[in-house]
Amino acid sequence: MMSLAIDNVGGLWIWGNCPQESSNSNSSSEGGFSLVSSFAPVPVWDLQGGQRVVKVACGNEHVVACVSVGGETTNSKGGGGEEQDLVCYSWGNNNHGQLGLGDRVSRVHPQVVQTSAVYEVSCGAFHTALLSHRTRVSGDDGTNISVCWTFGLGDNGQLGHGTTQSVSSPEPVKDLPNQMYLVSVDCGLFHTSVVSSSGDVWSWGMEKGLGLCPDATFTGTDAGDAALPLPISKFHNPVQVACGAAHTVLVADGGYRLWSWGRGRSGVLGTGNTADSYAPSIVLWPPLSEQNIGDQDGSSKNTDDERLSAAMDEMKLLQSKYTAMEQYAGMLHGLIFGEPFREHEIATSSSWQNPGGGLDVARQWEEMLESADRGKLMKLERLYKGMLGGVKDKLLKKRIQEIVKEINHH
């Protein structure tokens, strides 16, 4: 219900339904809070001067922003290098505790969320997820260790705490592995997904964390929400996870592959149909040519070998399909023209093209008869007489069988 943008100097702008103080006592909102429509971007003055907004997310009626207090901030999505911890602010509607301030009182001005070392934020409809560094000491593999914090509405298990209770202060998602760095987090309306630097994806919330609406086709033990993180799959070189209202998309292979799962209505999964997908499916992205791909940072010989192997497998599949089509074409050619198919006889004349772009077999047949000598015509006549005789024999046999059955029946 609102839009936000960060400008080039770290200022935050908002438009749409903006949280503001209620100007009259007739407001239906508690605590003097209301949403007032702004048809053009206006600055969030509370976060101006001496600080830079680095990241921002919004739910249905609440906003969470990560702010760097003084100095520049480097991108934190790598698991390594120097990073600056961010201060987290929240404001807006707080009827489910989605502001993480320890109560359910709505705010019209940003207030600090009591967390530390935050580097990523996302909002669902009525819940919030944060990623922070567990410690400044690196893990065994040389990367930082992460914690995922969630708060707000928990009716569908979207907080990942093992219950459907709502909470008003940040609480860690304890069932995620301890020794890992989370690259990205995102929230759908009622589900949450994270991906680690090693490529492991977990989801939780509505309908097994897939974010599907209650009319999904889960049955039996597969039905119901997931109140704890569920492992989805493992992907190579993950970049980012993104959630729609009821579906999830993962960017992997350094940005060269997309995977999607969840509700498929309107074709949002990009899999070529509108069916729901209960497991990651490859998005039908147009293939890039080798010239367009170029040399990419972080690419490895293993990646090249995997691509080459996949290309060879595709070549083998195409070769088998070509062989089958060639055999079928030869059979049809023999039936129609009475002689084996020869590659040099493939039709190339533009006069044989029909309006749809394919070959006009009738025209090709007429031209063949026109150019055939007497011997070839007689050969064709014998061929078709034989074929026609065979059909007549089959018809006669079937008719005799039917008469026999009728006599036996009577």
Side-chain angles (χ1 to χ4, degrees):
M1 300 178 67
M2 64 188 76
S3 298
L4 293 106
I6 304 171
D7 63 28
N8 62 327
V9 294
L12 184 63
W13 299 72
I14 187 171
W15 61 100
N17 286 350
C18 305
Q20 293 188 16
E21 292 185 38
S22 178
S23 59
N24 60 74
S25 59
N26 295 326
S27 172
S28 59
S29 300
E30 297 179 0
F33 167 81
S34 65
L35 293 172
V36 179
S37 295
S38 174
F39 303 135
V42 295
V44 179
W45 293 111
D46 297 275
L47 299 179
Q48 299 290 327
Q51 52 193 1
R52 294 173 60 93
V53 178
V54 178
K55 298 177 184 293
V56 66
C58 62
N60 278 17
E61 299 179 353
H62 76 290
V63 184
V64 181
C66 293
V67 175
S68 168
V69 182
E72 297 291 330
T73 302
T74 59
N75 189 348
S76 63
K77 285 193 174 186
E82 292 297 324
E83 301 166 356
Q84 182 173 346
D85 297 331
L86 307 175
V87 178
C88 195
Y89 289 83
S90 65
W91 68 102
N93 197 330
N94 195 31
N95 55 351
H96 299 288
Q98 59 263 48
L99 298 186
L101 301 175
D103 55 42
R104 298 194 179 187
V105 178
S106 299
R107 308 297 206 280
V108 295
H109 299 289
Q111 291 196 13
V112 175
V113 181
Q114 295 302 316
T115 56
S116 61
V118 173
Y119 64 92
E120 197 68 71
V121 59
S122 180
C123 295
F126 306 106
H127 75 289
T128 305
L130 306 173
L131 297 182
S132 71
H133 301 290
R134 183 186 299 275
T135 173
R136 302 304 296 176
V137 179
S138 296
D140 296 336
D141 60 353
T143 61
N144 289 324
I145 299 173
S146 301
V147 181
C148 180
W149 305 82
T150 56
F151 45 92
L153 182 68
D155 285 0
N156 297 104
Q158 60 263 52
L159 302 184
H161 298 159
T163 72
T164 56
Q165 295 180 354
S166 300
V167 299
S168 57
S169 296
E171 292 188 10
V173 182
K174 296 180 179 179
D175 277 57
L176 288 172
N178 291 326
Q179 302 295 319
M180 68 172 181
Y181 181 83
L182 294 174
V183 175
S184 176
V185 62
D186 206 16
C187 303
L189 286 181
F190 307 108
H191 76 289
T192 309
S193 295
V194 296
V195 58
S196 72
S197 57
S198 60
D200 294 295
V201 176
W202 293 269
S203 287
W204 57 92
M206 179 173 282
E207 292 292 357
K208 295 295 184 184
L210 296 177
L212 295 168
C213 287
D215 61 356
T217 56
F218 283 113
T219 58
T221 57
D222 290 333
D225 301 333
L228 291 172
L230 290 177
I232 299 299
S233 189
K234 190 177 182 71
F235 301 88
H236 177 261
N237 196 8
V239 176
Q240 183 180 2
V241 65
C243 298
H247 73 288
T248 305
V249 176
L250 183 81
V251 186
D253 280 359
Y256 287 98
R257 281 195 180 181
L258 291 173
W259 299 82
S260 62
W261 60 95
R263 189 175 67 189
R265 189 176 304 171
S266 303
V268 297
L269 299 183
T271 55
N273 55 57
T274 60
D276 295 344
S277 179
Y278 307 126
S281 300
I282 190 72
V283 176
L284 301 179
W285 195 260
L288 293 175
S289 67
E290 196 68 30
Q291 181 178 1
N292 290 335
I293 292 176
D295 293 328
Q296 300 295 321
D297 293 337
S299 62
S300 63
K301 184 177 184 299
N302 289 338
T303 303
D304 293 336
D305 290 343
E306 289 171 3
R307 289 174 179 164
L308 178 60
S309 177
M312 293 299 294
D313 289 342
E314 188 172 0
M315 286 286 291
K316 291 178 182 177
L317 178 61
L318 291 174
Q319 181 65 44
S320 64
K321 289 183 177 180
Y322 173 80
T323 301
M325 290 178 65
E326 188 177 39
Q327 293 173 347
Y328 188 67
M331 180 186 69
L332 289 178
H333 190 276
L335 290 175
I336 296 173
F337 298 103
E339 57 187 22
F341 175 77
R342 298 180 180 86
E343 190 173 342
H344 69 273
E345 293 177 348
I346 295 177
T348 57
S349 173
S350 60
S351 63
W352 291 347
Q353 301 290 325
N354 61 32
L359 292 178
D360 191 335
V361 178
R363 182 182 293 273
Q364 187 181 359
W365 171 258
E366 292 174 1
E367 291 189 14
M368 188 276 295
L369 291 179
E370 189 68 26
S371 61
D373 56 22
R374 185 172 182 275
K376 188 171 183 178
L377 290 174
M378 291 180 65
K379 182 180 178 181
L380 284 173
E381 181 182 28
R382 290 193 299 270
L383 171 68
Y384 280 98
K385 277 185 176 180
M387 292 173 61
L388 183 58
V391 172
K392 287 182 176 180
D393 287 342
K394 289 292 183 183
L395 286 172
L396 181 59
K397 288 180 180 179
K398 287 188 177 296
R399 181 54 186 157
I400 291 173
Q401 291 173 355
E402 292 171 357
I403 293 174
V404 171
K405 285 183 179 180
E406 291 176 1
I407 294 173
N408 291 337
H409 180 70
H410 291 297

